[in-house]
């Protein structure tokens, strides 16, 4: 069975550029989560969706960040404009329901120069 | 006070020994608890979930939960060098703004030396 798929795996961009991260959850999973991991702050939840609807975006750091889930098999996390402090590993995870175990994708390592 | 606390380690144990990893949490209403393993440069991998007080065993892994003490632990028996990784404790919120959300501890780095 295919796990959570994320693209790109690595992204290097310059400050001020727009960055779009993509995620395909496990088929049949109704909840999708976006996390950010840094050495300083650990693993933080940014936003999560249930049945394609954003439920909690309180972890989104600022208006430069936005996330969408247009259908059950695709989600995007966009940063515009990007800043060096956005450099981190961004993980997408999915679960059958919001109360079940979450399974993580391989992550996108973002570097903003 | 952090919501989920773990000793950052590093915890170093010899091969074949028992490794004991500990976690405390602040949300008394939490009902779901998880242990993830993360190798360097990789994503977190779920290894155990526990929902009831007591012990839950899966192969060399045993998760222990004590809700009264707000304490979760993970024991790894017969530790192997391949167990060397960061172990993340995660707690699912039970209500209010934490409902359905997973909060992670900072992780404990485990090193198993031959």
């Amino acid at each position: 069975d295919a796990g959570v798929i994320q693209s790109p795996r690595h992204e290097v961009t310059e400050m001020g550029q727009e960055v779009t991260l993509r995620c395909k959850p496990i088929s049949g999973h109704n909840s999708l989560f976006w996390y950010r991991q840094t050495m300083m702050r650990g693993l933080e939840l940014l936003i999560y969706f249930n049945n394609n609807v954003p439920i909690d975006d309180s972890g989104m750091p600022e208006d430069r960040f936005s996330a969408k889930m247009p259908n059950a098999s695709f989600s995007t996390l966009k940063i515009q404009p990007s800043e060096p402090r956005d450099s981190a590993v961004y993980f997408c995870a999915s679960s059958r329901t919001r109360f079940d175990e979450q399974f993580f994708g391989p992550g996108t390592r973002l570097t903003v120069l | 006070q952090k919501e989920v606390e773990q000793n950052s380690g590093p915890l170093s144990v010899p091969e074949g020994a028992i490794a004991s990893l500990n976690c405390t949490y602040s949300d008394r209403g939490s009902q779901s608890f998880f242990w993830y393993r993360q190798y360097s440069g990789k994503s977190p991998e779920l290894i155990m979930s526990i929902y009831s007080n007591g012990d839950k065993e899966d192969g060399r892994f045993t998760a222990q939960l004590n809700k009264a003490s707000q304490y979760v632990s993970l024991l790894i028996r017969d530790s192997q060098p391949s167990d060397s990784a960061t172990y993340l404790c995660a707690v699912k919120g039970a209500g209010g703004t934490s409902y359905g959300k997973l909060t992670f501890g900072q992780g404990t780095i485990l090193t198993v030396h031959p």
Side-chain angles (χ1 to χ4, degrees):
Chain A
D1 290 342
V4 176
I5 299 172
Q6 291 187 248
S7 65
R9 296 292 304 277
H10 302 272
E11 177 81 29
V12 180
T13 190
E14 293 188 346
M15 183 174 63
Q17 296 298 305
E18 176 181 303
V19 175
T20 299
L21 311 181
R22 297 172 176 80
C23 175
K24 176 179 170 57
I26 294 171
S27 178
H29 282 196
N30 295 324
S31 296
L32 182 142
F33 306 81
W34 282 101
Y35 291 90
R36 178 172 67 177
Q37 188 174 40
T38 61
M39 287 294 294
M40 289 297 295
R41 300 177 66 90
L43 196 57
E44 301 176 286
L45 178 67
L46 299 177
I47 184 171
Y48 83 92
F49 296 83
N50 193 54
N51 293 323
N52 311 338
V53 176
I55 301 300
D56 189 332
D57 65 355
S58 59
M60 296 285 261
E62 46 196 279
D63 291 346
R64 297 185 297 107
F65 286 69
S66 63
K68 294 182 180 180
M69 192 165 185
N71 57 61
S73 60
F74 183 67
S75 177
T76 60
L77 178 68
K78 183 179 293 186
I79 308 172
Q80 180 185 20
S82 58
E83 296 183 3
R85 58 193 169 116
D86 301 331
S87 297
V89 181
Y90 291 81
F91 290 106
C92 176
S94 72
S95 61
R96 191 172 58 88
T97 74
R98 72 176 92 173
F99 305 112
D100 291 316
E101 297 94 341
Q102 294 181 20
F103 298 91
F104 282 74
T108 296
R109 182 173 296 276
L110 173 66
T111 302
V112 183
L113 303 174
Chain B
Q1 181 185 1
K2 293 182 181 178
E3 296 181 31
V4 179
E5 293 206 42
Q6 298 179 250
N7 291 329
S8 60
L11 175 65
S12 182
V13 301
E15 184 174 356
I18 296 175
S20 178
L21 307 165
N22 305 315
C23 172
T24 58
Y25 60 94
S26 60
D27 185 352
R28 184 170 290 277
S30 296
Q31 299 294 322
S32 305
F33 308 87
F34 307 90
W35 283 98
Y36 285 81
R37 177 177 63 198
Q38 187 174 25
Y39 292 113
S40 180
K42 302 295 185 182
S43 59
E45 173 192 9
L46 180 67
I47 53 173
M48 290 286 284
S49 58
I50 187 166
Y51 306 97
S52 304
N53 279 331
D55 295 358
K56 179 181 178 182
E57 187 174 317
D58 184 0
R60 295 187 295 113
F61 298 99
T62 299
Q64 299 174 316
L65 174 61
N66 183 326
K67 292 182 182 178
S69 300
Q70 295 174 246
Y71 177 88
V72 191
S73 66
L74 179 70
L75 301 178
I76 306 175
R77 292 182 300 280
D78 188 22
S79 295
Q80 301 297 310
S82 59
D83 295 326
S84 299
T86 298
Y87 288 80
L88 299 165
C89 173
V91 178
K92 184 149 290 192
T97 57
S98 299
Y99 189 60
K101 293 165 61 171
L102 207 55
T103 300
F104 285 83
Q106 283 289 97
T108 298
I109 299 171
L110 172 66
T111 301
V112 181
H113 53 87

